[in-house]
Amino acid sequence: MAGPPDIVHAPRPGAEGLSEPMRSRWSTSVYDDQHTLTRDEIDRLLHAAQWAPSAGNSQPWVFFVCERGSANHERLVARLSRGNSGWVPRASVVFVTAAHVSTGADEDAPAYSDYALYDVGQAAAHLTLQARSMGLHSHQFAGFDHEALAADLDLPATHVLLTGIAIGVRGDAADVDERTADRDRRIRERVGLDEVARAGTWTQAWTEGWS
Ligand SMILES: Cc1cc2nc3c(=O)[nH]c(=O)nc-3n(C[C@H](O)[C@H](O)[C@H](O)COP(=O)(O)O)c2cc1C
């Protein structure tokens, strides 16, 4: 049984030693649907992504800004998966990310980088951490009809849609459906460093020999 939200969302073992804003970041599913962001705040989030590093400074990202109540927001909401349709629409803004993954037909079309997906993920991470440092919460998601939304947004064939990044402030769990409220109380888990870090070759776990 999950405890009250402040206990559930306290940093988990290994996260207590992190610096802010990583320490307190987690993906809430309960947003305040009255909160809005100013143009300046949205620009600051975009600037965090803009100044992320990328292979050869290729900057292979595009962000579709979907403010609640805007035409882009309507486009996105219509394409959400069932699981995401209960919580995503309440966020103040959603950035839908796209990556430049292939060269266009024109001879002088800009080249693309093999690291585009890596770079867009990193830009997204910077954006979410900037959000946290502004007192905001974020929750990334891939559950939407990518093909349909790409067509709705006139995405060129040189790009692919990747994710949405929902941003806002926490709302009241009483205002959302039970499934969404439950999701918000989930204990966050991670696999151990013994599985993800290596001290040498593949079979040598970083934590091998730890007592
Ligand atoms: C690429 C990506 C896709 C995701 N897709 C969804 C999604 O469709 N729906 C959802 O509720 N959460 C989604 N998430 C959120 C993850 O489930 C969440 O980040 C993970 O459980 C870790 O929890 P934390 O962010 O609170 O640390 C996604 C996250 C990423 C990075």
Side-chain angles (χ1 to χ4, degrees), residues 43-63 97 115-130 165:
D43 284 352
R44 244 187 299 161
L45 295 169
L46 289 167
H47 284 145
Q50 177 185 31
W51 283 97
S54 60
N57 201 20
S58 51
Q59 304 166 64
W61 42 65
V62 172
F63 299 88
T97 67
Y115 295 94
L117 301 182
Y118 184 99
D119 292 341
V120 177
Q122 183 155 216
H126 284 214
L127 190 157
T128 61
L129 294 175
Q130 176 64 31
I165 311 173

Side-chain angles (χ1 to χ4, degrees), residues 25-29 81 83-84 87-88 138-144 162-164 183 186 188-190:
R25 187 210 61 80
W26 64 280
S27 300
T28 187
S29 300
S81 66
N84 290 334
W87 64 269
V88 173
S138 63
H139 188 155
Q140 300 176 64
F141 59 93
F144 58 90
L162 293 177
T163 54
R183 184 196 295 242
R186 269 201 301 236
R188 297 168 65 228
E189 307 279 6
R190 292 297 190 266

